[in-house]
Amino acid sequence: MGSVQIVTTILAAAITAVAVWLAVRAVKRMVAVVRLGQPDPERFTDKGARTRAMLVETLGHTRMLRWSVVGAAHWAVMVGFIVLSLLVLEAYFEVVTPTGGLPLVGHWVVYGLVTEIIGVLGLVGILVLMVIRLRNRPTRPGGRSRFTGSTMWQGYFVEWVVLLVLVFGFLIRGFKVANDHFEFPAWATPVSHAVGAVLPAWEAGPSVAALIKIVISMTWVIVISLNVTMGVAWHRFLAFPNIFFKRNPTAVPATASGLGALRPMMSDGKPLDFEEADPEKDQFGVSQVEQFTWKGLLDFSTCTECGRCQSQCPAWNTGKPLSPKLLVLSLRDHAYAKAPYLLAGGGKDLTGEEKATAAQLAHVDVLALAEAEKPLIGTAEENGVIDPDVLWSCTTCGACVEQCPVDIEHVDHIVDMRRYQVLIESSFPAEAGVMLRNLENKGNPWGAPQNTREDWTKGLDFEVPRVGEADDFEYLFWVGCAGAFEDRAKKTTRAVATLLHEAGVKFAILGEGETCSGDPARRIGNEFVFQMLAQQNVETLNEAFGDREKTKRKIVATCPHCFNTLGNEYGQLGGDFEVVHHTQLLAHLVETGKLTPVQPVDGGLTYHDPCYLGRHNRVFAAPREVLGAAAQDGLTEMPRNSERSFCCGAGGARMWMEEKIGKRINVERVEEALSTGAETIAVGCPFCYTMIGDGVTGKGAAEQVEVVDVATVLLRSVKPDPGAPAERDAVTPAAG
């Protein structure tokens, strides 16, 4: 060992010791913060499925590759980070001796070839990611960047570290080539040999370059250890457990986890029973950051600040204050700033009393004590962590959950905060109060008389059977509140009933026995009203189906919100049913020849994917199959479609709230639909029907463009009426 190697070895050992000590301290702190969260025992079930899902999502990059260029570049960098960690380890042998290498595998040609390929791919990948970050920097002119609000220096720092580590890896090999000490042939390591051809023969070169590589790597470890909220770096480690512990590892496809059903309202790791619940002993939603589950706190820690959620959020894209990314970052920063107070024993019990003694809090940092006084939900004047306008801007469309590459469950966290605001604080947009009172008193959000639920059947040229009158029905037709009371949605209801009758499908309705599914109440945060309605409906449906097995307890629904609630959430309350959306059933009837389109619909057609049908439940093909069979010129897709479809603005109970900030979401969507040039905009949801219809009218295009449900398009093709003029929908403005 020469004098240079003595120095490089000592320096490498010193900086590594500091980095390891700081890293261990940082990991302990992060684990302590995550453990402050509430129990969530369901996260430990089915470890085999969780392991498979985690490996598929990470190694396969199933979410990242949806953005093909970014995904491919990130995959190369990720694989490079994992595999080329061996080269960082090898550098510790190279600082000791210029000819050093990794024991056992360091001399294998296959090792040299694989690391060479991955090194090149990593270089290309990180350069692509750096260009993308620069092109999308928040300060760029025009548009709203997905990186707005991200801590940009951290992103630049991480990218430059990766680039420099890769570059110095090739420099080490290049010096070995120049010194004629390199063990791999040129055909296996062409880039290393090319670098070596331009470098001088410097015996100490490999050791010096290896030291610099170690210093860069350990500087990265030191910086992230001193910044435990540096998600852009820590997600490299936290993504694996966060994906492993996601809510539904068996969801098909894997990207659907965290969508569909909401988590039930939990207290101490168990679903809350309202019949026995006590607000002084049981947790009603979330009012303090430590009341999130430990998985929630892990979610916040894992956020990589990539902004994919932000780029897809309908609220953010129309000038609302909500960004799913910024919401998560605010909760993360608040949790870590408040942690010293909580770890010292501090915190408020459910009655608002301080749990810690003065002695316990005596040595807590004053900044942590100040952070503990911040309300979780509050305006800037109240020094709140999350502004109420942020909380209530969410449509629960799921675009954030769909796009998140590390499986953060934004919608669950937002609804948990809403639950406390509604149930304990009675704090929510005033106009939504009318809807909630109507649900409690009338069983529907419009407050319509229950005895008018069957009025839509009047004028049909066939009898619509009721449950009890027809015991041999195959499908129970769940009409829904909109389908029974809202004028435009009633046209869809009649069209579906007519098509089912035409196809010879035996179906029946509950009529006055049906009440609201409870979706608006649950999404706004009123779990009590949801459970009241849901339990009533589960009892009614169980009685209607009798002792049928689940595969014969079939329900068809025209509203995706009812479809999602009945199919995905009623199981939490003892209601197990096979629920299909009407477009799925109609597609099957067309495919099997029971419905035959005979007159194509002309004039151009585009389709708007409802969030709760598409993203939340992965029903993309069925409505397109129906429209494809009925449309003369096929379907013209909007730029944002399928899993990236843009929300209409009505979900999350926003249908009953005024949209006072920024551009109206439905107008944004309608402008996109009009840009296709189609004369017909097809929808598959009564809420979308209202919002898109109002948007078309607002744009002054109602005379040129018609909004109709998929069922109406099919009915016009199956049973054309050439003598009837085209019927345009009368417009009834929506509240939202």
Side-chain angles (χ1 to χ4, degrees):
M1 180 185 291
S3 59
V4 172
Q5 282 70 42
I6 293 173
V7 173
T8 57
T9 301
I10 293 172
L11 292 176
I15 194 170
T16 300
V18 172
V20 169
W21 179 76
L22 289 173
V24 170
R25 189 183 70 166
V27 170
K28 286 183 176 179
R29 183 183 175 195
M30 296 177 78
V31 170
V33 170
V34 170
R35 293 184 65 182
L36 288 169
Q38 300 302 303
D40 197 353
E42 293 182 358
R43 305 288 181 170
F44 295 93
T45 60
D46 208 345
K47 293 181 176 61
R50 292 184 179 281
T51 302
R52 287 191 297 273
M54 183 265 290
L55 292 175
V56 167
E57 279 198 46
T58 53
L59 300 182
H61 254 44
T62 51
R63 291 201 180 199
M64 290 296 296
L65 286 171
R66 290 183 165 206
W67 294 24
S68 54
V69 174
V70 176
H74 191 276
W75 182 87
V77 172
M78 181 201 73
V79 173
F81 178 81
I82 295 172
V83 176
L84 299 184
S85 296
L86 292 174
L87 294 183
V88 175
L89 178 60
E90 188 174 49
Y92 285 93
F93 295 91
E94 291 161 339
V95 295
V96 176
T97 172
T99 59
L102 202 62
L104 300 178
V105 300
H107 63 282
W108 291 358
V109 174
V110 171
Y111 169 76
L113 173 63
V114 170
T115 51
E116 185 89 352
I117 292 172
I118 292 175
V120 172
L121 291 177
L123 275 172
V124 173
I126 196 63
L127 288 171
V128 168
L129 294 180
M130 292 173 81
V131 169
I132 289 172
R133 186 177 291 272
L134 288 169
R135 290 183 61 184
N136 289 277
R137 64 192 184 281
T139 55
R140 84 194 198 289
R144 305 187 83 182
S145 169
R146 66 185 176 97
F147 292 117
T148 298
S150 298
T151 314
M152 294 301 288
W153 76 262
Q154 295 179 353
Y156 294 137
F157 171 75
V158 168
E159 289 168 346
W160 273 102
V161 164
V162 172
L163 178 64
L164 291 173
V165 166
L166 290 167
V167 167
F168 274 89
F170 281 109
L171 285 174
I172 294 170
R173 288 185 163 189
F175 277 119
K176 286 185 175 182
V177 171
N179 295 337
D180 201 22
H181 294 321
F182 198 45
E183 57 266 66
F184 304 122
W187 68 264
T189 54
V191 176
S192 297
H193 278 269
V195 172
V198 299
L199 289 177
W202 179 25
E203 191 65 27
S207 296
V208 173
L211 173 63
I212 296 173
K213 181 176 181 177
I214 290 171
V215 169
I216 293 170
S217 300
M218 292 305 107
T219 298
W220 179 79
V221 173
I222 290 170
V223 170
I224 72 169
S225 298
L226 295 174
N227 293 272
V228 289
T229 58
M230 193 171 174
V232 69
W234 281 107
H235 84 278
R236 296 180 176 209
F237 310 106
L238 297 179
F240 296 95
N242 207 56
I243 294 171
F244 180 87
F245 289 116
K246 67 180 180 176
R247 175 146 62 90
N248 188 2
T250 59
V252 180
T255 50
S257 179
L259 296 173
L262 279 173
R263 292 179 73 251
M265 197 162 159
M266 309 291 284
S267 179
D268 196 28
K270 294 174 288 202
L272 191 67
D273 184 347
F274 277 96
E275 292 185 1
E276 301 178 0
D278 181 351
E280 294 187 1
K281 298 178 181 178
D282 295 300
Q283 182 179 316
F284 280 60
V286 169
S287 64
Q288 302 288 335
V289 72
E290 65 271 20
Q291 291 178 348
F292 287 105
T293 66
W294 62 262
K295 174 56 168 67
L297 295 176
L298 181 60
D299 271 357
F300 308 152
S301 303
T302 307
C303 178
T304 183
E305 304 188 25
C306 66
R308 287 161 65 112
C309 59
Q310 182 171 285
S311 72
Q312 303 298 302
C313 177
W316 176 260
N317 277 284
T318 54
K320 315 292 190 293
L322 168 64
S323 156
K325 177 187 72 177
L326 298 181
L327 179 140
V328 166
L329 297 188
S330 296
L331 293 171
R332 178 198 68 189
D333 294 344
H334 174 58
Y336 280 87
K338 187 178 180 181
Y341 158 78
L342 296 171
L343 292 171
K348 302 291 195 301
D349 63 21
L350 294 173
T351 64
E353 295 296 320
E354 175 60 57
K355 293 187 288 187
T357 64
Q360 286 177 297
L361 301 179
H363 302 292
V364 176
D365 184 81
V366 65
L367 295 178
L369 293 173
E371 193 73 25
E373 295 302 314
K374 289 184 177 181
L376 189 66
I377 307 298
T379 63
E381 292 75 17
E382 296 166 333
N383 203 24
V385 178
I386 304 296
D387 192 279
D389 284 335
V390 170
L391 188 67
W392 296 110
S393 292
C394 180
T395 67
T396 68
C397 71
C400 49
V401 180
E402 171 74 34
Q403 290 297 328
C404 181
V406 293
D407 274 303
I408 293 172
E409 296 160 3
H410 312 73
V411 173
D412 284 341
H413 304 319
I414 288 171
V415 172
D416 272 340
M417 289 186 284
R418 285 184 171 187
R419 284 166 169 166
Y420 181 84
Q421 293 300 303
V422 172
L423 293 172
I424 302 300
E425 297 291 337
S426 296
S427 177
F428 51 88
E431 61 271 19
V434 177
M435 177 268 291
L436 289 172
R437 287 193 294 275
N438 285 336
L439 287 177
E440 288 191 72
N441 300 326
K442 299 290 187 178
N444 69 85
W446 281 275
Q450 185 70 358
N451 61 9
T452 62
R453 269 197 180 267
E454 299 178 37
D455 284 1
W456 65 269
T457 63
K458 296 176 180 178
L460 293 174
D461 56 6
F462 58 92
E463 191 71 24
V464 176
R466 280 71 175 167
V467 170
E469 299 173 3
D471 294 328
D472 61 342
F473 62 89
E474 181 182 4
Y475 286 94
L476 189 150
F477 181 14
W478 183 272
V479 176
C481 298
F485 301 121
E486 206 275 329
D487 288 340
R488 279 177 285 197
K490 282 196 280 188
K491 296 179 182 179
T492 301
T493 308
R494 292 164 62 89
V496 171
T498 302
L499 288 166
L500 296 182
H501 176 74
E502 187 75 13
V505 175
K506 294 182 178 180
F507 70 97
I509 63 172
L510 289 172
E512 294 182 26
E514 184 183 305
T515 190
C516 181
S517 68
D519 166 84
R522 188 168 228 198
R523 265 67 197 171
I524 203 173
N526 197 325
E527 186 74 4
F528 176 79
V529 171
F530 164 73
Q531 289 201 20
M532 178 186 72
L533 294 168
Q535 287 169 354
Q536 179 181 336
N537 282 325
V538 167
E539 184 178 338
T540 301
L541 289 168
N542 283 338
E543 183 180 344
F545 286 116
D547 58 0
R548 295 190 192 188
E549 58 189 61
K550 181 179 178 179
T551 56
K552 294 183 179 179
R553 295 157 68 90
K554 298 180 180 179
I555 298 174
V556 57
T558 58
C559 175
H561 297 264
C562 296
F563 165 65
N564 177 70
T565 304
L566 272 62
N568 295 329
E569 297 183 342
Y570 275 19
Q572 299 169 2
L573 300 167
D576 292 317
F577 314 108
E578 291 286 340
V579 187
V580 299
H581 188 252
H582 72 284
T583 59
Q584 293 176 296
L585 181 54
L586 295 179
H588 172 71
L589 295 175
V590 170
E591 182 184 8
T592 55
K594 294 182 179 179
L595 289 174
T596 304
V598 294
Q599 180 173 309
V601 176
D602 58 11
L605 186 68
T606 192
Y607 172 65
H608 164 77
D609 285 276
C611 300
Y612 273 82
L613 182 63
R615 257 191 306 274
H616 280 277
N617 285 283
R618 323 308 297 177
V619 179
F620 300 119
R624 288 174 169 81
E625 290 168 3
V626 174
L627 295 172
Q632 179 173 340
D633 302 320
L635 185 66
T636 302
E637 293 281 11
M638 295 186 226
R640 292 176 288 196
N641 63 79
S642 302
E643 66 269 4
R644 290 200 198 179
S645 178
F646 197 76
C647 182
C648 75
R654 290 293 321 173
M655 181 83 172
W656 290 275
M657 299 182 224
E658 294 293 343
E659 194 169 348
K660 302 173 182 177
I661 305 173
K663 182 179 182 180
R664 292 179 67 88
I665 294 173
N666 63 330
V667 172
E668 171 87 0
R669 185 55 166 169
V670 164
E671 288 175 352
E672 188 172 3
L674 295 177
S675 72
T676 66
E679 294 182 11
T680 301
I681 303 173
V683 297
C685 170
F687 291 179
C688 298
Y689 201 156
T690 297
M691 301 300 284
I692 301 297
D694 287 353
V696 168
T697 301
K699 297 296 293 184
E703 295 299 317
Q704 297 80 38
V705 177
E706 185 179 17
V707 181
V708 293
D709 189 87
V710 171
T712 300
V713 175
L714 180 61
L715 181 61
R716 290 176 180 176
S717 182
V718 170
K719 296 183 67 175
D721 185 2
E727 180 185 7
R728 297 284 176 179
D729 288 332
V731 175
T732 304

